[in-house]
Amino acid sequence: MLSRVADSIFWLGRYTERAENYARFIDVNFNLSLDLPPGIEEQWDPLIQATAGMEQYTELFGDKKTRSNAIYFLAFDERNPNSIISSVTFARENARIVRENIPRETWEVLNELHYYVQEAYSQKIWKKEDPKHCFKHIKNQIQLLNGIAYDNVPRTQGWYFSQLGKYMERADKTSRILDVKYHFLLPSVADVGSPLDFLHWVALLKSVSAFNSYRRLYGNIKPDLIVNYLVLNRYFPRSVLFCLIEVEECLHAISESKHGFSNAAEKAIGSLRSDLEFADINDIFDIGLHEYLDQLQLRLNSISDSIYDQYFKIQPNFTEQFQTQE
């Protein structure tokens, strides 16, 4: 497979996953704002922080984090390269480049999603009293894209590059949203264990679609169990460990290597997957949750760089694209 084709398919998977994550985060945070006790301000800072957009937001809107400004920035601001509208636009452009390599239905649904987001932008949906339907529709359309791909795409290199992008993005976003909860959500230490703390942990689980499966497994809401579930559970599809296992399998399928590693990306993901597989929750808290997640994100970025060097790096006739790696 040509590097430019593999690159576009990888980023098609990554941008659609990013748009779905943003739609879910905004939807959950909006619902959380409706459940907050009287006198507690809505918190949009953590969401902006989780998406690594705080510096750009402050430059554009100052220090005031209003609901409408935050939703506009995260969903519809084309100046934000990670917003939903930017991610859908980039995903559509990558799909156009490799149109002959993807199902016709994928192209059609992605086009419909593109025009739906553009229409929501023209209607200024972020100023509406209840924008939930918009984000639910975006999330459902991307889940439809995943379903079409699952049923129609041959399990050849193209499939594995798209899954590689999806799971790299998912691991990154799960670790970020967990890190933000740990550091930013509570007004004070005295609020730990309070009803407000409970609401935040529930919102965190819902933001990664983990609430029901977590309650079935553990029952009570406990921070250490939630961290264990979202980082170290090998069966939950949005846990960091599950995503790393999928990334490793995709890399081996692409290189057709059966054992060990055949390049730097496989070595790095194997090392990180192994570290998480043999870790327990006490190891994480001994290091410090923020410090642990910070190191995890740095290693994910390093793996992303290794994948780029191995499969997408500049060739003699390479034309630089617009993709961004965070």
Side-chain angles (χ1 to χ4, degrees):
M1 175 174 284
L2 294 173
S3 292
R4 65 173 180 80
V5 174
D7 190 26
S8 292
I9 293 176
F10 173 85
W11 282 100
L12 171 59
R14 192 149 188 172
Y15 280 128
T16 51
E17 179 68 21
R18 186 174 301 177
E20 192 212 344
N21 277 314
Y22 276 39
R24 185 185 302 104
F25 292 168
I26 296 170
D27 186 34
V28 170
N29 207 59
F30 180 82
N31 286 327
L32 173 63
S33 70
L34 302 181
D35 293 333
L36 289 175
I40 301 294
E41 290 186 4
E42 297 180 23
Q43 294 187 337
W44 291 94
D45 298 47
L47 204 53
I48 299 169
Q49 191 76 32
T51 59
M54 184 60 76
E55 184 176 345
Q56 187 181 23
Y57 179 94
T58 304
E59 289 176 3
L60 295 172
F61 301 99
D63 293 329
K64 194 171 183 180
K65 312 300 187 300
T66 64
R67 177 193 297 178
S68 62
N69 281 350
I71 293 178
Y72 172 71
F73 176 73
L74 294 170
F76 300 106
D77 194 338
E78 292 176 323
R79 297 170 294 181
N80 176 7
N82 296 314
S83 66
I84 291 175
I85 197 168
S86 295
S87 296
V88 170
T89 299
F90 294 156
R92 180 172 177 264
E93 178 59 19
N94 279 291
R96 187 190 61 76
I97 293 170
V98 294
R99 192 170 170 180
E100 70 278 8
N101 297 90
I102 60 175
R104 178 175 56 83
E105 293 87 349
T106 296
W107 175 247
E108 291 175 351
V109 173
L110 198 50
N111 261 309
E112 290 173 6
L113 178 61
H114 170 74
Y115 288 114
Y116 178 83
V117 174
Q118 292 292 333
E119 185 177 352
Y121 171 76
S122 66
Q123 293 178 352
K124 294 182 170 49
I125 201 77
W126 60 92
K127 293 185 177 180
K128 304 289 185 183
E129 187 174 342
D130 187 354
K132 287 186 297 183
H133 175 76
C134 172
F135 298 109
K136 184 178 180 181
H137 184 77
I138 292 170
K139 184 176 63 177
N140 289 345
Q141 287 298 99
I142 294 173
Q143 289 174 341
L144 175 60
L145 283 172
N146 289 337
I148 291 171
Y150 186 83
D151 278 347
N152 294 286
V153 175
R155 270 41 174 183
T156 55
Q157 282 192 333
W159 165 261
Y160 291 110
F161 274 116
S162 71
Q163 298 302 294
L164 186 60
K166 181 171 84 172
Y167 284 108
M168 283 296 297
E169 182 70 21
R170 186 175 292 181
D172 178 75
K173 288 296 176 286
T174 297
S175 67
R176 285 181 184 275
I177 199 74
L178 185 57
D179 194 19
V180 164
K181 162 60 188 146
Y182 183 77
H183 261 281
F184 296 99
L185 277 174
L186 284 180
S188 71
V189 175
D191 291 314
V192 174
S194 68
L196 180 61
D197 192 29
F198 177 84
L199 281 177
H200 284 157
W201 283 113
V202 169
L204 171 68
L205 287 169
K206 289 182 176 178
S207 70
V208 290
S209 297
F211 181 68
N212 291 331
S213 58
Y214 170 86
R215 290 298 292 263
R216 280 196 294 273
L217 184 61
Y218 293 111
N220 295 331
I221 299 293
K222 294 184 177 179
D224 57 336
L225 296 179
I226 293 174
V227 173
N228 188 71
Y229 192 61
L230 297 185
V231 177
L232 301 178
N233 189 288
R234 63 182 299 115
Y235 303 108
F236 177 57
R238 293 187 178 276
S239 78
V240 176
L241 178 56
F242 183 96
C243 294
L244 296 182
I245 292 171
E246 292 296 317
V247 168
E248 187 177 23
E249 289 182 0
C250 288
L251 286 172
H252 282 299
I254 290 167
S255 68
E256 298 182 350
S257 59
K258 302 295 183 185
H259 306 288
F261 61 89
S262 62
N263 56 58
E266 290 177 10
K267 182 178 181 180
I269 190 65
S271 174
L272 181 55
R273 187 265 308 154
S274 178
D275 286 349
L276 264 69
E277 209 162 34
F278 291 95
D280 64 36
I281 193 63
N282 294 321
D283 298 331
I284 294 177
F285 283 117
D286 285 345
I287 296 170
L289 181 57
H290 170 68
E291 289 75 12
Y292 186 89
L293 294 174
D294 195 37
Q295 285 300 313
L296 177 64
Q297 287 158 14
L298 290 174
R299 293 178 74 176
L300 286 172
N301 288 341
S302 176
I303 292 167
S304 185
D305 291 341
S306 296
I307 292 171
Y308 172 80
D309 290 340
Q310 179 67 30
Y311 294 109
F312 314 139
K313 198 170 183 178
I314 296 175
Q315 300 298 319
N317 60 347
F318 177 81
T319 300
E320 188 173 357
Q321 296 191 24
F322 46 73
Q323 278 89 335
T324 59
Q325 300 188 58
E326 59 181 56

